[in-house]
């Protein structure tokens, strides 16, 4: 068995792992090794934003996880794609850049993540970002992650935003700025027409440094301990076993599925579960793999009376032209993720901040491309942001190559059904506004017969899908909290020289897509690991509807 040694060993080159690889190697005195089970991200289908459904469905780039039968969704098994490639899920995701609502991070502090309130995390969002829009207290302009807005060429984007205004909702000039609530333009992680993953933004520049080693096709199998101190990581590559020693720390950045699995395989987790597989217990942490959270969504689809949707570009020849224009000039329909407009609203009076998200798409099609459009149409992806349902990730086998068991327990809380019904009815109202009169055809899905609570519930049960935001399985909290897995310094509680830095440490899920907050976690954790003073707290204000207690909009 070969052996090597570095100061830090990072497991996973994903949205947080690439950030850490870059920031930790800024210190030329520190050596860093990154273990990634996937391979290169240079394929054109990854780099072309509009091709997002291809890597998402590829066995080469996606771990291909599926849930156990979900008891409240008729026993359906849902897809749970996770990036298995340099850049991780930032290389296969939908490229939507949403930071979350400021009150999400205030809630994190209440849940025990001291020092992770909005004033503390906003400076790290800014440090990470290079935004082409106006300079203000919210957006960053010289960071690695390029964020941009689509050209909004299709008139349906403006129709959606205007319909939101006509329905009585506010407009927001910047959904990642002072006011998330309302309708506006979405940001995307695209630079000069190319997907700007964390591999492109952070890892590739860092790989030019002599103090960084990136090992691909490396399956981490176990963390080695001496007593309670993590010594390094065993991994398997090309049929051979290897060991990489960490002189200072091991950092897990495998994400909400893989990080708890590796902790458990290494003896950190619920003692009874580990014992059932004959795994020696290093630290009995019952919260490892629990508290699994996600966003569910459905597609509200409407036929278009005008042939202006992306359906006109789905033929083989038309797609070839789109690809050629992108290859030659980095422009056109291939250079956007097509989620260029969206919004956040509250489901009812008494909800303090938005709990429903919309992604608008000028085509009627499944997000992952599994169901092709059959006619000109448009759709909103709609779903609640703060489900009360909780799931888990548990071992299926002590074999590291065996996928874990994943159970989200979707829709297991009665409030989830109330919120989903509100999603259907409020979306139907928005599409009924005058702005859509020139375009609105028949309602394709859920359909005009889906009106009663019972009909909506049946539709939801049969058609909701994951928005692919698994999180919170190694949640951050007070060291005295038996359910917490890491403390606010990202250290695994009960052991030494071991951290987790990825979306799994979120105490609770944030509003919207998770790539942006995961990058922020990597940025803030890098300063903690390096022993640097945190960036100065921000005093930027944020919007909360003044009449939220009595009005829905």
């Amino acid at each position: 068995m070969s052996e090597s040694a570095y100061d830090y060993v990072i497991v996973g080159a994903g949205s947080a792992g690439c950030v850490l690889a870059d920031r930790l190697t800024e210190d030329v005195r520190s050596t860093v090794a990154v273990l990634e089970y996937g391979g290169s991200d240079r394929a054109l289908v990854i780099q072309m934003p509009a091709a997002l459904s291809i890597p998402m469905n590829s066995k080469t780039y996606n771990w291909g996880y599926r849930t156990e039968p979900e008891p409240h969704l008729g026993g359906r098994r849902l897809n749970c794609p996770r990036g298995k490639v340099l850049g991780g899920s930032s290389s296969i995701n939908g490229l939507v850049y949403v930071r979350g609502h400021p009150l999400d991070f205030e809630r994190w502090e209440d849940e025990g993540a001291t020092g992770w309130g909005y004033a503390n995390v906003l400076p790290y969002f800014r440090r990470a970002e290079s935004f082409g829009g106006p300079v203000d207290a919210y957006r960053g302009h010289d960071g690695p992650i390029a964020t941009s807005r689509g050209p909004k060429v299709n008139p349906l984007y403006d129709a959606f935003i205007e319909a939101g205004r006509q329905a009585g909702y506010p407009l927001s000039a910047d959904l990642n700025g002072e006011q998330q609530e309302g309708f506006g333009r979405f940001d995307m992680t695209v630079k000069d027409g190319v997907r700007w993953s964390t591999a492109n933004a952070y890892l590739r520049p860092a790989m030019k440094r002599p103090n960084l080693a990136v090992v691909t096709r490396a399956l981490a199998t176990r963390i080695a301990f001496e007593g309670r101190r993590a010594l390094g990581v065993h991994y398997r590559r090309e049929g051979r076993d290897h060991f990489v020693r960490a002189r200072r720390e091991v950092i897990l950045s495998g994400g909400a599925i893989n990080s708890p699995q590796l902790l458990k395989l290494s003896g950190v987790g619920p003692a009874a579960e580990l014992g059932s597989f004959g795994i020696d217990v290093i630290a009995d942490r019952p919260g490892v793999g629990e508290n699994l959270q996600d966003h569910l969504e459905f597609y509200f689809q409407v036929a278009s009376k005008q042939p202006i949707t992306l359906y006109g570009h789905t033929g083989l020849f038309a797609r070839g032209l789109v690809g050629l224009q992108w290859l030659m000039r980095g422009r056109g329909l291939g250079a956007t993720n097509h989620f260029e407009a969206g919004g956040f609203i509250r489901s009812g009076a008494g909800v303090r901040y938005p709990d429903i998200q919309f992604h608008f798409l000028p085509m009627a099609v499944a997000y992952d491309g599994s169901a092709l459009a059959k006619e000109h149409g448009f759709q909103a992806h709609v779903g609640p942001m703060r489900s009360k349902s909780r799931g888990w990730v548990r071992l299926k086998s002590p074999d590291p190559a065996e996928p874990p068991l994943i159970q989200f327990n979707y829709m297991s809380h009665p409030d989830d059904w109330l919120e989903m019904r509100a999603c259907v009815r409020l979306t139907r109202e928005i599409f009924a506004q005058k702005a859509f009169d020139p375009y609105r055809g028949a309602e394709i899905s859920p359909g005009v017969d889906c009106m009663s609570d019972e009909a909506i519930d049946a539709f939801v049960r049969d058609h909701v899908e994951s928005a692919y935001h698994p999180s919170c399985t190694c949640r951050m909290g007070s060291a005295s909290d038996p359910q917490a897995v890491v403390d606010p310094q990202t250290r695994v509680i009960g052991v030494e020289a071991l951290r987790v830095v990825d979306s799994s440490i979120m105490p609770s899920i944030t509003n919207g897509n998770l790539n942006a907050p995961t990058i922020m976690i990597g940025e803030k954790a890098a300063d903690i690991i390096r022993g640097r003073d945190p960036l100065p707290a921000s005093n930027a204000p944020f919007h909360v509807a003044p009449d939220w207690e009595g009005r829905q909009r």
Side-chain angles (χ1 to χ4, degrees), residues 53 301 311 314-315 319 363-375 379:
S53 68
Q301 300 178 326
Y311 177 66
T314 56
R319 280 185 291 165
M363 184 162 71
V365 65
Y367 175 29
D368 63 2
S370 59
L372 296 176
K374 298 179 174 61
E375 60 182 309
Q379 68 188 34

Side-chain angles (χ1 to χ4, degrees), residues 220-376:
T221 58
R222 181 171 58 86
I223 303 160
F225 285 91
E226 184 175 63
R228 288 181 173 268
R229 181 178 178 82
L231 294 182
V233 179
H234 292 276
Y235 67 95
R236 191 174 301 148
R237 187 173 190 266
E238 297 177 345
R240 296 183 58 200
D241 290 329
H242 305 264
F243 178 69
V244 55
R245 183 176 299 275
R247 299 187 190 98
R248 299 178 71 175
E249 291 185 317
V250 173
I251 307 166
L252 303 190
S253 295
I257 308 300
N258 291 1
S259 285
Q261 180 190 23
L262 186 58
L263 282 175
K264 290 181 178 185
L265 290 171
S266 308
V268 180
E273 180 183 350
L274 305 188
S276 69
F277 291 103
I279 298 171
D280 292 336
V281 178
I282 304 296
D284 180 9
R285 300 306 305 174
V288 175
E290 301 301 304
N291 194 44
L292 176 62
Q293 298 175 40
D294 191 16
H295 293 139
L296 274 181
E297 65 182 15
F298 61 87
Y299 313 138
F300 197 110
Q301 300 178 326
V302 180
S304 176
K305 293 191 294 187
Q306 296 190 34
I308 59 172
T309 75
L310 295 174
Y311 177 66
H313 300 276
T314 56
L316 189 61
F317 181 70
R319 280 185 291 165
L321 288 179
V322 169
L324 184 62
Q325 184 183 25
W326 179 79
L327 275 172
M328 299 297 291
R329 304 179 65 192
R331 299 180 183 175
L333 293 175
T336 171
N337 61 356
H338 300 288
F339 294 112
E340 298 183 19
F344 292 89
I345 67 172
R346 292 176 289 115
S347 61
V351 177
R352 189 179 179 194
Y353 67 105
D355 60 342
I356 294 174
Q357 181 183 18
F358 297 97
H359 298 73
F360 180 78
L361 185 66
M363 184 162 71
V365 65
Y367 175 29
D368 63 2
S370 59
L372 296 176
K374 298 179 174 61
E375 60 182 309
H376 278 285

Side-chain angles (χ1 to χ4, degrees), residues 381-444:
H381 298 209
V382 193
M385 291 292 95
R386 296 189 293 281
S387 167
K388 295 183 176 69
S389 298
R390 298 291 181 268
W392 42 257
V393 175
R394 295 174 184 164
L395 294 180
K396 183 178 182 180
S397 159
D399 180 0
E402 187 77 25
L405 301 173
I406 304 169
Q407 182 85 78
F408 285 93
N409 288 317
Y410 291 123
M411 306 301 292
S412 57
H413 195 285
D415 287 356
D416 295 347
W417 295 96
L418 299 176
E419 292 166 358
M420 278 291 186
R421 293 170 198 160
C423 286
V424 171
R425 291 178 172 129
L426 294 172
T427 308
R428 183 173 282 139
E429 180 189 21
I430 291 164
F431 279 137
Q433 298 302 311
K434 185 178 179 180
F436 275 111
D437 285 354
Y439 314 109
R440 185 193 320 105
E443 184 179 307
I444 300 171

